[in-house]
Amino acid sequence: MEQKKVRLPREVAEALEKILKDEPDLDKDRQFIVWNSAHAPNKFDSGPWGVLYDFVGSGNIFLLADALRYGYVIDEPIRVEITTEQQEKIRRYYESISKDDEESEEFKRGEQLGFREAYDLAGIKIDGVNA
């Protein structure tokens, strides 16, 4: 059974690449990277070893080991662009909810709350809706 490459956050992948670039001998001893990542970094180290330590400390030691064994890809966040026109459509729809005579006030508030929460969870701010 072929193992798939592991998905790593960009920050972790970049830290790993920096360590391997700065200390090329570690490419032959990747076990040391896993071992060292599980030990507290020097208090002055806010660099790549600190990034790996935080990642491993969050319960990802086996993920790091698999990444070093099978390879990895950078896990990119999904990027969405909302144009000015789309924002205006969203704002108009959001405002129209409160004008709908067919629905109860409670339903309208719930629908608007759902709208705001969904955009907040996605980290999207739109004036007149949730900003």
Side-chain angles (χ1 to χ4, degrees):
M1 183 172 135
E2 185 181 334
Q3 292 292 327
K4 292 183 179 179
K5 290 185 176 185
V6 174
R7 299 182 81 72
L8 289 180
R10 176 172 292 284
E11 181 182 35
V12 173
E14 288 175 352
L16 192 53
E17 289 165 9
K18 179 155 179 39
I19 289 168
L20 289 170
K21 180 182 175 196
D22 292 349
E23 303 177 47
D25 290 342
L26 289 180
D27 196 34
K28 297 175 190 138
D29 188 15
R30 292 181 172 212
Q31 295 175 80
F32 177 80
I33 295 173
V34 175
W35 178 84
N36 197 50
S37 297
H39 294 81
N42 179 308
K43 65 181 178 180
F44 302 108
D45 186 5
S46 61
W49 284 108
V51 171
L52 292 187
Y53 175 73
D54 290 344
F55 183 68
V56 166
S58 299
N60 294 305
I61 193 165
F62 293 112
L63 189 62
L64 178 62
D66 286 347
L68 288 166
R69 181 179 298 146
Y70 305 119
Y72 60 89
V73 294
I74 296 173
D75 191 15
E76 292 288 339
I78 297 172
R79 299 191 194 289
V80 177
E81 183 177 322
I82 300 176
T83 66
T84 305
E85 294 81 20
Q86 290 169 321
Q87 289 180 41
E88 186 56 37
K89 284 180 183 178
I90 291 167
R91 189 175 11 266
R92 280 197 310 263
Y93 180 80
Y94 179 82
E95 291 169 352
S96 76
I97 293 170
S98 62
K99 297 174 184 169
D100 187 353
D101 293 333
E102 303 279 324
E103 303 296 341
S104 69
E105 289 302 314
E106 186 175 319
F107 181 84
K108 293 176 199 178
R109 284 193 304 274
E111 189 174 2
Q112 286 181 323
L113 175 64
F115 240 78
R116 289 190 308 271
E117 289 296 317
Y119 284 109
D120 285 343
L121 287 171
I124 299 169
K125 298 290 181 193
I126 298 176
D127 287 334
V129 177
N130 66 337

